[in-house]
Amino acid sequence: MKGKKIVILAGKGDSSKIVFNALDSQFGIEKIIVEDKENTKKFIKRRIKRLGFFTVVGQILFQLIIGKFLGSTSKKRRDEIMKANNMNATEIPNYKTINVSSVNSKKTIELLKEINPDLIIVNGTRIISEKVLSAVECPFINTHAGITPKYRGVHGAYWALVNNDAENNGVTVHFVDKGIDTGSVIYQENITVTKQDDFSTYPLIQLASGTKLLTKAIENFFNGTLSSQKERNLESILWYHPTIWGYLYHRIFKGVK
């Protein structure tokens, strides 16, 4: 793999730091291109148009109240998961980082053409445009927190637990296409959660599993053995953030935290 160039397209956050540190220690990342967070007002307006005002208000209340509460009370458990899986969330070196306004910006396209990577890893960005996907002739690979296509979107582990669907509670590594988590599956793996886990720790367990699968995918890509799996006969569903009332209902009546 010497001389091969890997670029990461990422959003801001600890998950991107964890992925970068894991891959850089093994493969040596050429650059990580980090996009700014989307304008909150624009995001909310677009989400209201799609889901409706009542639902979006419920999602915001969930994040402001339940999300912050769980984030505070589950810190010890998250630290345990990080330590058990040797996950490193230290800051990414500045010389490896390039900041852009959006993963779909003209600057991103110019950077990719200039670097001309052999492989692009995606983590935590907004949906990538066809212009970016076609800017260079190399695969884009993403780690998704859910078993696709049944749990596309966000919080795949949480929704699988709500649906009592242990068979499809896991993580997916897949090629990126123009859809939302619709690319061909490379690897999938189930996860196991404990009574100590909740909404704030499920994604970290998925990331621990997914990073290992991603490492395997990169190794196989560069030795020429990487291929996609046969498509499973699963319905395709796009999931969103829970509302505060939806979360409370599932916690009280189904015990899903």
Side-chain angles (χ1 to χ4, degrees):
M1 278 175 272
K2 188 176 180 181
K4 301 293 186 180
K5 291 186 286 187
I6 302 173
V7 166
I8 300 178
L9 296 179
K12 293 182 177 180
D14 284 347
S15 71
S16 293
K17 297 174 188 176
I18 291 168
V19 169
F20 172 86
N21 288 318
L23 300 185
D24 190 52
S25 65
Q26 295 194 56
F27 306 107
I29 298 301
E30 184 74 14
K31 292 291 180 181
I32 178 168
I33 300 173
V34 182
E35 70 171 359
D36 291 335
K37 290 185 177 181
E38 188 176 3
N39 180 276
T40 302
K41 288 184 178 179
K42 289 182 178 179
F43 176 81
I44 291 174
K45 284 182 179 179
R46 188 174 68 251
R47 188 56 58 86
I48 288 174
K49 188 175 181 180
R50 172 171 289 185
L51 301 178
F53 179 80
F54 186 71
T55 296
V56 174
V57 168
Q59 291 174 333
I60 292 172
L61 289 175
F62 169 80
Q63 292 174 322
L64 291 176
I65 300 172
I66 304 295
K68 286 188 176 181
F69 173 77
L70 293 176
S72 175
T73 57
S74 299
K75 184 180 184 304
K76 182 179 178 181
R77 174 58 180 153
R78 291 199 306 277
D79 289 343
E80 290 175 352
I81 296 168
M82 293 278 290
K83 184 177 181 180
N85 293 280
N86 297 314
M87 301 169 84
N88 178 4
T90 55
E91 292 295 331
I92 301 168
N94 289 334
Y95 73 92
K96 290 275 190 176
T97 306
I98 304 175
N99 295 299
V100 295
S101 60
S102 167
V103 72
N104 295 318
S105 67
K106 182 180 178 182
K107 181 179 178 181
T108 301
I109 293 174
E110 291 173 348
L111 286 167
L112 291 180
K113 288 182 176 180
E114 179 183 338
I115 298 169
N116 191 28
D118 298 283
L119 181 65
I120 295 173
I121 304 301
V122 179
N123 184 80
T125 69
R126 64 198 75 180
I127 303 304
I128 299 177
S129 71
E130 289 187 70
K131 285 185 177 181
V132 174
L133 292 174
S134 61
V136 287
E137 293 185 4
C138 74
F140 289 64
I141 296 178
N142 178 55
T143 303
H144 172 66
I147 296 293
T148 62
K150 192 171 184 179
Y151 294 99
R152 296 163 47 232
V154 293
H155 307 302
Y158 171 76
W159 291 117
L161 291 170
V162 166
N163 294 329
N164 194 26
D165 188 11
E167 183 182 354
N168 293 299
N169 183 4
V171 62
T172 301
V173 171
H174 64 91
F175 292 110
V176 179
D177 62 15
K178 63 181 181 180
I180 302 175
D181 306 321
T182 56
S184 299
V185 172
I186 300 170
Y187 300 118
Q188 290 184 323
E189 184 172 272
N190 283 10
I191 64 165
T192 300
V193 299
T194 70
K195 292 182 178 179
Q196 287 71 48
D197 290 305
D198 59 35
F199 187 89
S200 72
T201 66
Y202 304 147
L204 196 57
I205 297 171
Q206 290 172 297
L207 184 62
S209 177
T211 302
K212 293 171 186 175
L213 294 179
L214 183 58
T215 299
K216 180 181 176 182
I218 295 171
E219 290 173 345
N220 288 344
F221 172 76
F222 286 119
N223 66 31
T225 62
L226 185 65
S227 62
S228 58
Q229 295 182 1
K230 183 179 179 181
E231 187 174 342
R232 296 174 64 192
N233 187 25
L234 296 172
E235 60 181 331
S236 180
I237 305 174
L238 184 62
W239 299 86
Y240 297 92
H241 297 283
T243 61
I244 188 170
W245 37 81
Y247 175 84
L248 292 173
Y249 175 85
H250 295 308
R251 180 154 187 169
I252 293 169
F253 293 103
K254 296 185 178 182
V256 180
K257 297 190 292 182

